[in-house]
Amino acid sequence: MKITSIEAIPFIIPYRHPIVAASGILDSAEHVLVRVHTDEGLVGIGEAASRSFVYGESQASIVAAIRQWLEPALLGADPMAVEDLYERTSWLVANNTARGALDVALHDLRGKVTGMPSWLLLGGVKRPLRVTRILTMGEAEEAADEARQAVAKSGISAFKVKVGTGLRSDVARIAAVREAVGEEATIYVDANHGWRAEEAILALTAMAEYGLDLVEEPCPASDTIGRQRLAQHVPISVMADESAPTLADAARELISGSSRALSIKTTRTGFTESARLVSLAGALGARTLLGSQADSMVGTAALLAFGSAFPRVASEPGELDYFNVFTDHLVTNELVVQNGVLVPSELPGIGVDIDEDKLCHYRIDNQ
């Protein structure tokens, strides 16, 4: 079997409402569907989510990276040799999301060749994964209402609250969410680098009474001294996300003591590098949680399959229902959160089928 072509199809699906974070505002999903074709007719699927204000990648750059560099490097190769193909493309710096989506597509293809789900090929078992709802960064009562609805509709009991708008409003938002979901629910916060280290210490000290589980990216990754000082002054573990887009970055964060948890995003590091991140964190006694890069149901299915394969990851809540803000979906077999969990598919690969009519409707052809 050989790779004959790699498609990079940009598409846009509107959100139900704007997504606000300290680092930017999003009105729609501007993603790229990646499909790896073979001479035997089998096709592997992956998804890249562009976040230009975080990673410097756009739809146009992802499409260009795949068409100009990644596809030529892999044409004629054996798609089952994922480790070899990872090395073949490792020379391409940055472009993490393009490479990550391609790696997922190759792993999906392995599943279709063997007739096995990706979680099994990765050495795991079928596990239900607890879902974290990412709440809007709006007024305190708005965030609390969204949390209540997630509990009532889907049984969700883990929540990530966006912060970084100001100490008083941030603390008020946390207090309102805690009151809405009760003492047993898991709550952590994400500042998206929106605080200075000194502000983060004040804010997290003020929030301590609300039982926060983690703080994600409290201050800029470039502030090495500030992040280390923060880790020493607050009793809440710091989780690295944008500050650890690669294995080398993650090693720096953990070994320096700046972070004690990693956000694993398969759309950013694929399955191959994500597995190495889990091993690194395990060796250093750090936690690993599934993070969303605003994934649609395609990216979420991949994240779910990966998380199910690793007991360390599956024991933690994961950001697995970001798709609830999408107005539509490209898959024919939609994911549904029930009793606060998602269960991975038993279908081959990551377990999704694309609705070609919807893809035709939402794709854009100016790339």
Side-chain angles (χ1 to χ4, degrees):
M1 180 181 294
K2 296 181 179 180
I3 296 173
T4 55
S5 66
I6 301 174
E7 280 187 288
I9 306 170
F11 66 92
I12 297 177
I13 298 179
Y15 290 151
R16 299 184 187 280
H17 55 76
I19 303 301
V20 181
S23 53
I25 301 175
L26 300 169
D27 296 306
S28 59
E30 299 182 4
H31 295 191
V32 178
L33 187 72
V34 177
R35 295 202 282 204
V36 178
H37 295 265
T38 69
D39 57 356
E40 295 187 12
L42 294 173
V43 181
I45 299 171
E47 176 189 41
S50 67
R51 285 294 174 271
S52 57
F53 55 81
V54 178
Y55 303 108
E57 290 179 274
S58 65
Q59 279 184 311
S61 75
I62 292 168
V63 170
I66 291 172
R67 292 177 179 172
Q68 295 179 25
W69 299 314
L70 298 175
E71 182 184 37
L74 301 188
L75 286 178
D78 182 349
M80 298 293 285
V82 291
E83 287 284 349
D84 179 65
L85 301 185
Y86 176 86
E87 292 302 323
R88 285 198 193 194
T89 59
S90 61
W91 60 269
L92 183 60
V93 298
N95 294 288
N96 306 87
T97 305
R99 291 183 60 223
L102 177 56
D103 185 76
V104 169
L106 290 167
H107 277 271
D108 179 57
L109 184 54
R110 289 179 76 212
K112 289 172 178 172
V113 170
T114 61
M116 299 166 63
S118 291
W119 48 262
L120 184 56
L121 284 173
L122 289 169
V125 299
K126 183 179 179 180
R127 295 182 177 92
L129 270 67
R130 188 174 166 217
V131 173
T132 295
R133 169 65 57 87
I134 304 174
L135 301 176
T136 182
M137 191 166 71
E139 297 297 325
E141 196 51 40
E142 182 182 2
D145 283 342
E146 184 179 350
R148 290 189 194 96
Q149 292 174 23
V151 173
K153 181 179 179 181
S154 304
I156 290 175
S157 61
F159 302 89
K160 181 165 87 171
V161 184
K162 294 288 188 176
V163 293
T165 57
L167 179 58
R168 290 186 178 180
S169 59
D170 288 341
V171 173
R173 193 177 303 113
I174 298 302
V177 171
R178 175 56 76 193
E179 182 179 359
V181 301
E183 295 300 319
E184 298 302 316
T186 300
I187 298 178
Y188 60 100
V189 297
D190 183 4
N192 291 113
H193 302 164
W195 289 325
R196 290 181 293 107
E198 293 77 12
E199 291 174 323
I201 292 171
L202 289 174
L204 294 170
T205 300
M207 295 174 183
E209 65 180 285
Y210 301 110
L212 297 184
D213 186 50
L214 291 164
V215 55
E216 182 178 331
E217 297 297 6
C219 50
S222 58
D223 185 7
T224 304
I225 295 175
R227 286 171 75 94
Q228 291 176 349
R229 182 183 175 209
L230 169 64
Q232 295 168 358
H233 281 77
V234 295
I236 301 172
S237 293
V238 174
M239 180 160 67
D241 179 15
E242 302 97 325
S243 62
T246 68
L247 183 65
D249 294 321
R252 180 205 64 226
E253 281 291 305
L254 296 179
I255 293 172
S256 70
S258 298
S259 302
R260 290 295 298 153
L262 295 178
S263 178
I264 305 292
K265 296 182 175 180
T266 53
T267 191
R268 180 174 65 200
T269 44
F271 284 1
T272 302
E273 190 162 350
S274 292
R276 297 175 185 180
L277 288 167
V278 174
S279 296
L280 171 69
L284 297 174
R287 297 167 64 184
T288 46
L289 286 77
L290 297 177
S292 173
Q293 196 160 308
D295 303 302
S296 76
M297 286 190 180
V298 177
T300 301
L303 196 63
L304 180 62
F306 178 85
S308 183
F310 297 90
R312 292 180 58 83
V313 181
S315 67
E316 302 272 10
E319 297 167 11
L320 293 164
D321 83 329
Y322 195 94
F323 56 76
N324 79 87
V325 303
F326 283 59
T327 55
D328 204 355
H329 308 288
L330 295 184
V331 302
T332 59
N333 46 337
E334 296 189 4
L335 300 172
V336 179
V337 179
Q338 294 181 323
N339 299 317
V341 302
L342 271 177
V343 180
S345 172
E346 293 186 358
L347 294 174
I350 64 173
V352 298
D353 292 312
I354 300 298
D355 185 318
E356 296 297 332
D357 290 336
K358 287 188 177 181
L359 178 60
C360 183
H361 177 74
Y362 290 112
R363 69 182 294 163
I364 56 177
D365 297 314
N366 59 348
Q367 302 289 347

